[in-house]
């Protein structure tokens, strides 16, 4: 294929052990990371990971090795694994080799597609932007309490069914529709069902034309799962550096990248480190994460789903991942069951951006006041459950009223769920979100029913909604006429 260099060396297979292949070359050895081809028509791709002696190299197969045998010829492609870049990859679904898996025409026939190595160095410090900027998503709960960093990395923690995919889909929609950016979805060890569903959802939401999806599925060899993140970053770097556009990179799941690295390390015969992880985990993760950065030309902002093994936050995979994140968004099943979407837990989520020097004194003070109010309400829930709301002091009752109104104001109708909820999506600027929270904390809406603040955009919509009779089924569970009387339901 034209994407690979001219074959410069030929050798033979010396041994095959699962995905690990030893090869012998009589002349100069292929370089580390060189892509070799073996089997009928070069169907088996092997990446060189070690030079064992003057004649032998050891590589990991990126494709199944069925049919390989000792003595078979192997040829050097003349370069490393390459990923396609260019405008032609937009709206396409690809695998780690750049082959289309969306039943569309292959990229080889496209004139404006360039192929670049997936192994690239992070941008040097001289090119990086030293200014910390907030990446606005248009989602109130994120922008106010856990603002993302432009060119930063955010971790998204959530189980099944709490709205993780919906949140990612909405961020893609907002990024494309209002910030003229590009979104790249990288599925590492994804189930084929998840990839197919996401493709359909993106197409239905109308965001596919400004998006690239790249997958290494769960049934693929560990080598392919290990390299798909690098391929996605090569594509992201093209849009950042060549087209000078902001890129939103979504990775699901970064733990599976570490897991694939551990499998490759074990197959290569390396001595395992703590809890069986590869000894080079920190280096491998850093090589991937450090390429996610903002430069003078544009920024790659990453949102990564993070699986925490057995909920153990001291697990080496979690510890190494946390050290790279600038924001952590935790989704709560309890909030989802109450109908408070997006189900972001404001007390467990955090962001390094919430400092007076970055977001400003007003935003910082408001974020702290909101957290304090919600934390006080969480402490009072036990008392409300046992003794009732009437037994609280007048000041505590005010805190409960403010907290419940804040919780409802931080909900938001999404564009990508409008077809299911019947509610038009809302994009809320950071200024409007902060203004609404400030007015709620000042008790400006204490006479309005709580339901008026539920699933609105700007806070001024609450007055109009209070006058109109709310539609049945558009409120959180247990939210009827007298909301304060039902505060015990949440406890």
């Amino acid at each position: 294929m034209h994407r690979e260099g001219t074959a410069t060396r030929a050798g033979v297979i010396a041994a095959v052990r699962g995905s690990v292949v030893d090869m012998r070359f009589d002349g100069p050895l292929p370089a580390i990371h060189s892509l070799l081809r073996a089997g009928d028509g070069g169907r088996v791709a092997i990446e060189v990971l070690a030079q064992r002696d003057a004649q032998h190299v050891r590589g990991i197969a990126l494709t199944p090795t069925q049919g390989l045998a000792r003595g078979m010829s192997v040829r050097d492609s003349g370069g490393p694994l390459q990923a396609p870049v260019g405008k032609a990859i937009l709206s396409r679904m690809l695998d780690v080799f750049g082959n289309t898996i969306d039943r569309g025409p292959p990229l080889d026939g496209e004139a404006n597609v360039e192929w670049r190595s997936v192994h690239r160095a992070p941008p040097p410090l001289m090119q990086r932007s030293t200014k910390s900027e907030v990446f606005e998503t248009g989602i109130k709960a994120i922008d106010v309490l856990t603002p993302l960093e432009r060119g930063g990395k955010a971790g998204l923690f959530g189980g099944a069914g709490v709205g993780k995919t919906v949140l990612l889909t909405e961020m893609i929609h907002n990024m494309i529709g209002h910030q003229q950016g590009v979104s790249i979805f990288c599925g590492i060890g994804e189930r084929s069902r998840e990839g197919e569903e996401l493709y359909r959802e993106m197409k239905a939401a109308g965001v596919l034309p400004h998006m690239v999806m790249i997958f290494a599925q769960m049934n693929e060899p560990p080598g392919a799962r290990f390299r798909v993140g690098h391929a996605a970053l090569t594509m992201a770097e093209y849009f950042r550096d060549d087209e000078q556009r902001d890129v939103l990179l979504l990775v699901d799941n970064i733990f599976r990248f570490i897991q694939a690295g551990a499998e490759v390390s074990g197959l290569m015969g390396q001595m395992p480190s703590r809890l069986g992880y590869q000894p080079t985990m920190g280096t491998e993760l850093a090589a991937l994460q450090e390429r996610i950065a903002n430069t003078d030309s544009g920024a790659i902002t990453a949102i990564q789903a993070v699986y925490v093994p057995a909920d153990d936050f001291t697990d080496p995979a979690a510890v190494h991942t946390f050290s790279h994140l600038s924001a952590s968004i935790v989704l709560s099943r309890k909030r989802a069951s109450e109908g408070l979407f997006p189900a972001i837990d404001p007390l467990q989520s955090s962001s390094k951006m919430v400092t007076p020097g970055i977001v400003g004194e007003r935003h910082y003070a408001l974020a702290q006041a909101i957290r304090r109010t919600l934390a006080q309400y969480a402490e009072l829930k036990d008392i409300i459950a046992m003794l009732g709301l009437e037994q609280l002091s007048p000041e505590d009752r005010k805190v409960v009223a403010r907290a419940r109104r804040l919780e409802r104001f931080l909900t938001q109708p999404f564009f990508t769920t409008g077809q299911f909820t019947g509610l038009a999506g809302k994009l809320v600027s950071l200024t409007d979100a902060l203004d609404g929270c400030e007015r709620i904390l000042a008790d400006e809406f204490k006479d309005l029913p709580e339901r008026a603040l539920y699933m609105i955009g700007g806070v001024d919509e609450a007055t109009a909604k209070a006058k109109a009779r709310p539609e049945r089924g558009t409120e959180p569970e247990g939210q009827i006429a007298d909301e304060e009387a039902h505060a015990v339901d949440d406890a």
Side-chain angles (χ1 to χ4, degrees):
M1 288 182 287
H2 76 280
R3 70 181 87 163
E4 295 173 1
T6 307
T8 54
R9 303 176 186 87
V12 294
I13 293 173
V16 182
R17 290 184 300 278
S19 291
V20 176
V21 184
D22 285 355
M23 293 148 288
R24 188 180 75 250
F25 289 82
D26 293 328
L29 294 180
I32 301 293
H33 294 155
S34 291
L35 191 69
L36 311 180
R37 291 279 177 180
D40 297 332
R43 63 175 181 80
V44 180
I46 305 162
E47 185 179 279
V48 177
L49 291 187
Q51 295 177 339
R52 304 195 63 210
D53 54 38
Q55 286 190 307
H56 292 86
V57 295
R58 177 171 287 176
I60 190 86
L62 308 184
T63 52
T65 55
Q66 281 91 340
L68 286 192
R70 290 179 65 184
M72 276 189 174
S73 64
V74 59
R75 65 174 180 84
D76 185 358
S77 67
L81 177 66
Q82 293 184 318
V85 297
K87 290 184 179 176
I89 67 172
L90 290 171
S91 81
R92 303 307 302 269
M93 185 189 275
L94 311 166
D95 67 7
V96 70
F97 300 104
N99 301 317
T100 54
I101 52 174
D102 55 6
R103 298 183 183 177
L107 292 177
D108 280 336
E110 299 281 352
N112 56 349
V113 170
E114 184 187 338
W115 295 83
R116 292 185 183 174
S117 167
V118 302
H119 303 281
R120 299 167 66 86
L125 288 173
M126 289 294 289
Q127 289 180 14
R128 291 186 184 231
S129 172
T130 55
K131 187 179 170 189
S132 286
E133 296 179 65
V134 171
F135 174 81
E136 279 196 43
T137 62
I139 300 168
K140 291 179 284 191
I142 293 175
D143 290 344
V144 172
L145 295 172
T146 57
L148 307 185
E149 181 183 7
R150 182 175 175 268
K153 297 169 273 281
L156 183 60
F157 305 84
V162 293
K164 201 166 50 194
T165 304
V166 172
L167 196 56
L168 290 180
T169 312
E170 185 71 5
M171 284 185 190
I172 294 167
H173 179 279
N174 293 354
M175 172 77 175
I176 291 163
H178 305 278
Q179 301 196 24
Q180 289 76 51
V182 176
S183 292
I184 296 177
F185 186 92
C186 174
I188 305 177
E190 284 281 272
R191 300 168 185 87
S192 56
R193 170 187 61 79
E194 293 171 330
E196 190 270 339
E197 284 174 1
L198 190 71
Y199 183 82
R200 271 193 292 110
E201 286 169 9
M202 297 294 116
K203 198 168 185 177
V207 300
L208 207 56
H210 300 278
M211 187 176 179
V212 187
M213 302 173 81
I214 179 165
F215 287 95
Q217 290 165 208
M218 197 171 268
N219 64 319
E220 294 185 40
R225 286 181 271 127
F226 188 55
R227 287 292 175 228
V228 71
H230 299 90
L233 271 164
T234 300
M235 297 171 183
E237 285 163 347
Y238 164 81
F239 288 110
R240 179 191 67 190
D241 301 334
D242 292 42
E243 297 208 359
Q244 302 194 345
R245 296 169 75 178
D246 279 1
V247 181
L248 181 63
L249 175 66
L250 305 159
V251 183
D252 190 7
N253 187 307
I254 202 67
F255 173 76
R256 296 195 194 120
F257 166 76
I258 294 171
Q259 204 171 35
E263 290 178 51
V264 169
S265 174
L267 288 166
M268 292 294 291
Q270 292 179 349
M271 184 72 73
S273 181
R274 186 167 159 239
L275 295 186
Y277 286 105
Q278 63 271 41
T280 52
M281 176 172 63
T283 312
E284 290 167 359
L285 187 62
L288 188 76
Q289 299 278 9
E290 287 301 302
R291 289 170 66 180
I292 302 167
N294 55 338
T295 63
D296 299 330
S297 57
I300 300 173
T301 304
I303 299 170
Q304 308 169 20
V306 184
Y307 168 69
V308 181
D311 292 333
D312 179 13
F313 284 83
T314 63
D315 187 274
V319 170
H320 281 275
T321 306
F322 284 134
S323 64
H324 292 280
L325 300 178
S326 55
S328 301
I329 301 167
V330 180
L331 298 181
S332 157
R333 192 170 301 281
K334 185 174 186 300
R335 292 178 72 81
S337 68
E338 291 171 6
L340 300 172
F341 291 105
I344 295 167
D345 189 325
L347 300 179
Q348 289 193 55
S349 304
S350 63
S351 171
K352 292 178 182 174
M353 301 294 286
V354 187
T355 62
I358 297 174
V359 296
E361 293 282 353
R362 176 173 174 253
H363 185 166
Y364 174 75
L366 271 173
Q368 295 299 99
I370 292 165
R371 286 181 191 278
R372 194 163 48 246
T373 304
L374 294 174
Q376 286 175 289
Y377 175 43
E379 290 173 2
L380 291 169
K381 280 183 177 179
D382 287 341
I383 300 173
I384 296 169
M386 289 186 291
L387 303 174
L389 194 66
E390 298 76 19
Q391 300 302 315
L392 295 179
S393 67
E395 190 56 44
D396 283 346
R397 291 189 69 168
K398 284 183 183 177
V399 168
V400 171
R402 282 182 211 129
R404 288 174 61 79
R405 281 166 174 77
L406 280 170
E407 282 184 338
R408 277 141 191 80
F409 178 63
L410 290 175
T411 62
Q412 189 168 338
F414 282 174
F415 291 94
T416 48
T417 58
Q419 54 187 323
F420 309 113
T421 62
L423 299 171
K426 305 281 185 181
L427 187 83
V428 185
S429 69
L430 178 59
T431 308
D432 290 347
L434 290 173
D435 179 55
C437 292
E438 191 173 46
R439 290 166 69 182
I440 290 169
L441 287 168
D443 289 338
E444 189 176 322
F445 298 94
K446 68 180 192 308
D447 296 327
L448 280 186
E450 290 170 9
R451 65 171 176 266
L453 291 154
Y454 178 67
M455 283 294 171
I456 60 171
V459 77
D460 290 326
E461 295 176 26
T463 311
K465 188 176 178 182
K467 291 176 184 174
R469 183 178 176 84
E471 292 182 23
R472 189 176 182 85
T474 60
E475 312 153 354
E477 189 178 338
Q479 188 70 32
I480 315 177
D482 185 8
E483 292 83 358
E484 288 190 2
H486 288 78
V488 67
D489 291 350
D490 284 354

